[in-house]
Amino acid sequence: MRRNRYTLVELVTVTAILLIVLAVGTARLSVELLDGGPYQKAEQLRRIAALCRRQAAATGKTCAVEFDPARRRLFFGKEQVTYPQEFHILRNGEELQEPGVVLRFFPDGGVAETALAFKRDGETATLRISPLTGSIVIDETE
């Protein structure tokens, strides 16, 4: 005789497995969203810099990521990275104070400025950009 239904034990087992997977996924996602550490801020800036670089190559025009200390943000168009008071942003080792361009990408893929760092409580994440190729990497130190 063929059985066309699932038993209660099978249904409970599958539900338990799905709940465990959901719990693990939710925990990881919440840690990524709530941890506003230097590495996360550098990763957000890396995404914005890559977008700016692609636009420079596509349009044939220079493109820039700008710094706004009054609103505590780095931005390109509508994309932005905001950061709390305890963060310090360094360009080539010196803390940024004045508003202006912090990364400038050229149509050939190159970049003018090469290193930006987010620093907080001894933790530092540095966004390094190759001046010739425009490739972007993040170094993390504690």
Side-chain angles (χ1 to χ4, degrees):
M1 183 171 175
R2 250 172 82 173
R3 188 176 78 169
N4 289 332
R5 294 182 235 138
Y6 295 104
T7 66
L8 181 60
V9 173
E10 291 171 324
L11 292 173
V12 169
T13 303
V14 169
T15 303
I17 290 170
L18 289 174
L19 288 174
I20 290 170
V21 169
L22 181 64
V24 169
T26 302
R28 279 198 179 165
L29 183 60
S30 67
V31 166
E32 289 179 13
L33 292 175
L34 296 176
D35 178 33
Y39 184 83
Q40 182 189 20
K41 298 300 180 185
E43 180 61 30
Q44 290 174 349
L45 181 59
R46 185 195 66 74
R47 289 184 191 126
I48 290 172
L51 181 66
C52 184
R53 179 178 175 228
R54 282 192 299 272
Q55 182 169 330
T59 63
K61 297 179 181 176
T62 301
C63 183
V65 175
E66 299 181 55
F67 174 63
D68 180 2
R71 296 175 70 186
R72 303 198 61 74
R73 68 183 184 138
L74 293 157
F75 66 96
F76 162 66
K78 293 181 181 179
E79 302 294 324
Q80 67 179 356
V81 177
T82 58
Y83 57 95
Q85 191 70 29
E86 67 267 12
F87 272 81
H88 302 282
I89 299 180
L90 311 170
R91 179 173 51 194
N92 299 326
E94 294 183 21
E95 187 170 357
L96 290 176
Q97 303 288 333
E98 300 297 321
V101 173
V102 292
L103 295 173
R104 185 183 318 272
F105 289 91
F106 302 107
D108 66 358
V111 64
E113 295 78 11
T114 58
L116 279 178
F118 288 93
K119 187 173 183 177
R120 177 185 72 181
D121 299 332
E123 291 180 83
T124 304
T126 305
L127 187 79
R128 297 191 190 285
I129 305 172
S130 169
L132 296 177
T133 64
S135 63
I136 306 167
V137 294
I138 299 173
D139 298 330
E140 188 175 16
T141 58
E142 290 192 29

